Amino acid sequence: MSKQSTPLASGWTLHLADGGSIPATVPGSSHIDLLAAGLIEDPYAGRNELDVAWVGRADWRYDTVLPNVPEGCEQTDLVFEGLDTVATVTLDGVELGRTRNMHRSYRFDVTGLARGGTPLSVFLTSAYTEAEALRERLGPRPNAYPVPFNYIRKMACSFGWDWGPTLVTAGMWRPVRVESWNTARLASVRPLVTVADGVGRVEAHLAVERTEPGEARPLLVTLEVDGVLATTRVPAGSTSSTAEVQVPDPALWWPRGYGDQPLYTCRVVLADAGTGAELDVWERRIGFRSVRLDQNEDAHGTAFTITVNGTPVFARGVNWIPDDALPARVTPDRYRHRLRQAAEAGVNLVRVWGGGIYEDDAFYDACDELGLLAWQDFLFACATYPEEQPLRGEVEAEARENVVRLMPHPSLVLWNGNNENLWGFRDWQWEDELAGDSWGEGYYLGLLPRIVAELDPTRPYYAGSPWSGSWDHHPNDPAHGTSHFWEVWNRRDYTDYLKDVPRFAAEFGWQAPPAYATLRQALPDEDLAPDSPGVLHHQKAEDGNGKLNRGLAQHFSAPATFDDWHYLTQVNQARAIATGVAHWRSHWPVCAGTVVWQLNDCWPVTSWAAIDGAGRLKPLYHELRRLYADRLLTFQTREGARVLAVDNQSPEPWAGNANVRRLQVDGTALAEETIAFTVPPRSVATFPVTTEIKDRHRELLVADAGELRDIALDCEDHEFAYPPAEMTLVPAPAADGFTLAVTAGTLVRDLLLQADRLAPSAQADTGLMTLLPGETRTLTVTGVSLSDLTPGALRAALFTVNET
């Protein structure tokens, strides 16, 4: 009889401190259950986060009874795919085991105990209790935040971050099941997938667990890929085996924009060699591709270039955080939707950040299908991590499990040791404070690379981000390896991005508030202002609003109203990221990637995200679509002189003419030049611009090549003589909404329709756009009909720099 699995997804109750109980959801958490029962208010609304802080400090108990399990099986296991986090599991009052790691699964042998109606309990101790006790025992370690998340293997940002709420979860956050089986089962399958000389090779390394009666039985393993089969005999008593197939001329898997994403079913069947009976099956989708990390030294320093199938890739990336502060709520459909949004913005790489989780397989499945390269951090972020037991054993166990779990995915191209910890040791006074205590270096430079080399030699490992490749260079040296750029935003204007040409910009970002409707839904009764209580509560960054305002003051006059502040901070965010991406992208192949902080949010908050916590697109998202398109036209500077950068990351040559005009603010053409260009595939060329602005307060440069455009001023916006915006608006009904044709009577700078002000469900297909006098652009709005709009609503939802 094959292995049988019985989900334990219903019939659970959560017990309360007063002795009562409420229905519970599994997978889920105590916050989710308390919300469903109406016992707490939405922690994302108002300042409710503070009112539910007690939930994370409390201990909890979940109860259910086992369903009927198959009879006649030699072994029965109780399997928890994810326990969050410090748990004691009992069955009929018998303790099965204790856990202390959210990032791994647990399996308990319940043979002879598992019968229908048997009571099952999971006791969950507050993560604070565990972490604080371990800190007391091991001694203090430096941390970027004042909570001991570095003493427990749990999603670090549960304890709060500079973009996230403090919601310390507890529960069974991934599925629970009972497995019944005979003779043997596949404990793990580790497929090494390689391709060389036109032949795809799959070498499947198997770990087998046997029952006591199954010890004496020989087994058969069949590996099948694309109709090619290999059968291997596993001798009696053996608990490991290897099977290999070779697939001739496989179609290669490519990142999006470089080719297709063919996926092949890889199937492993374990059978009894004597009877031929099928015992267990493992099935995943794989892709044939090679990946290498180019770290060669050259005249510019040390490269960091991801190469797929021998082709260097410019990484158009985004950083990913957990999409919900209550991660059990993230469904496969939600993963797919969010990642499709990334792909539609031109993204080809998603970095899973080290303060979150190893995401569900549904995340990586979507990356496989969409051609999104996945960079996976091991889960260490912004702190020193003790290397003593029990943490060291937990770190090794979770790393081994997740490397094996995720390695079938062709989208996964890089294992990264940590986020900012090597940098922090050198620059954040950690070295002196530690006074020789362990802090994680042994993980990043020892344990983790050994595990990856042993289990997954098909992929590169890198010790951290930022990291220069060795202690011979500063960890955040832009000339070597990966770099993070946080002095910009924290202390400097975004124009300072122009001072560096990094080998790989792995983190940089600029804040802006979420969409207006997102703020209004989170703060329904508040008189919104930049410093109103609720708005400030939904700003978690240290002096976040101060940095926003100082950033605005560099470029704009002080906003007179909240609406102006809200709009201008979003403009500033888009311009900041455009400055960095366009500059660094123009230096390809010296700079081999930009990974914007960040794609998504986990709740409604002012943050660096392009998609806010309610899933609404900020202007930055639309700007990323321009910046991450295959072809980009921008004004840049080389050796003090203005040039036009023609950036062609497409697979075809790009030939054409760029028209550069010097215009007065009223649209009058004062000078013009044509730049003929031919740029090979995956290349950038720069061309001198001879046309110069004479009156920096009233003139601008405009470069056009086909549908691409860039605009340059020689002064800040608050110094430029913008005219009052004149626009003619012509709306027309359309499917699911309407179109809006906007004709500019004057120069209209950074026009934005905030569609969510028309209706919370409304979306526009266009972000910031600049129109010259006489030009017309047509936007499409969905989620609201013209008949639902009040007179003047459209004009009130339109914002432009001219009017702030």
Side-chain angles (χ1 to χ4, degrees), residues 254 290-292 307-312:
W254 291 92
S290 64
V291 59
R292 184 175 66 86
T307 300
V308 179
N309 299 327
T311 300

Side-chain angles (χ1 to χ4, degrees), residues 239-540:
T239 58
S240 65
S241 183
T242 302
E244 179 183 326
V245 298
Q246 294 189 358
V247 178
D249 300 316
L252 297 183
W253 186 96
W254 291 92
R256 63 173 305 280
Y258 288 76
D260 296 330
Q261 293 79 45
L263 298 170
Y264 293 81
T265 298
C266 178
R267 180 178 170 88
V268 177
V269 177
L270 181 69
D272 187 305
T275 66
E278 184 178 285
L279 301 174
D280 200 358
V281 177
W282 178 97
E283 187 173 292
R284 302 289 188 276
R285 294 182 304 171
I286 61 171
F288 291 100
R289 57 98 183 98
S290 64
V291 59
R292 184 175 66 86
L293 183 61
D294 179 0
Q295 300 179 68
N296 290 327
E297 294 184 2
D298 56 27
H300 304 281
T302 308
F304 187 97
T305 305
I306 296 170
T307 300
V308 179
N309 299 327
T311 300
V313 174
F314 181 84
R316 292 171 257 180
V318 288
N319 282 274
W320 171 277
I321 65 170
D323 205 50
D324 200 310
L326 306 178
R329 300 199 295 196
V330 183
T331 64
D333 285 345
R334 183 162 161 185
Y335 277 126
R336 191 169 301 277
H337 175 65
R338 192 73 69 241
L339 290 168
R340 187 176 293 114
Q341 288 176 312
E344 290 171 353
V347 169
N348 65 12
L349 179 144
V350 180
R351 176 193 174 208
V352 183
W353 168 76
I357 57 177
Y358 304 101
E359 299 288 349
D360 188 82
D361 276 290
F363 173 94
Y364 307 93
D365 286 341
C367 289
D368 293 342
E369 296 165 14
L370 294 167
L372 295 173
L373 302 176
W375 158 334
Q376 178 67 57
D377 279 12
F378 286 101
L379 300 184
F380 305 90
C382 302
T384 55
Y385 285 79
E387 297 176 40
E388 290 82 5
Q389 297 292 6
L391 287 170
R392 186 178 183 86
E394 291 293 345
V395 166
E396 178 164 2
E398 85 179 46
R400 287 182 173 277
E401 177 174 332
N402 284 285
V403 167
V404 172
R405 176 173 73 90
L406 300 181
M407 60 187 289
H409 295 282
S411 57
L412 180 59
V413 294
L414 182 70
W415 295 106
N416 179 62
N418 73 88
N419 176 77
E420 298 191 342
N421 295 346
L422 295 160
W423 178 25
F425 178 76
R426 179 58 52 87
D427 271 7
W428 300 349
Q429 290 78 53
W430 289 356
E431 188 170 4
D432 291 340
E433 191 173 338
L434 283 162
D437 285 343
S438 66
W439 58 277
E441 183 182 27
Y443 297 145
Y444 320 134
L445 300 181
L447 177 66
L448 296 176
R450 286 197 300 272
I451 289 173
V452 172
E454 173 194 344
L455 299 178
D456 187 16
T458 68
R459 286 180 180 83
Y461 169 86
Y462 202 68
S465 188
W467 179 235
S468 58
S470 79
W471 288 116
D472 293 339
H473 306 288
H474 187 280
N476 200 24
D477 185 339
H480 301 277
T482 56
S483 301
H484 292 192
F485 292 88
W486 287 117
E487 285 299 297
V488 175
W489 164 251
N490 281 323
R491 296 172 184 84
R492 293 155 46 190
D493 185 52
Y494 61 73
T495 54
D496 279 10
Y497 287 139
L498 303 173
K499 294 180 178 179
D500 292 295
V501 180
R503 305 315 303 267
F504 195 99
E507 272 193 29
F508 61 101
W510 200 270
Q511 271 201 347
Y516 179 82
T518 300
L519 270 179
R520 179 48 70 204
Q521 288 171 342
L523 305 169
D525 302 319
E526 185 156 313
D527 185 9
L528 296 177
D531 59 353
S532 60
V535 171
L536 286 180
H537 183 75
H538 289 254
Q539 161 64 276
K540 295 295 187 178

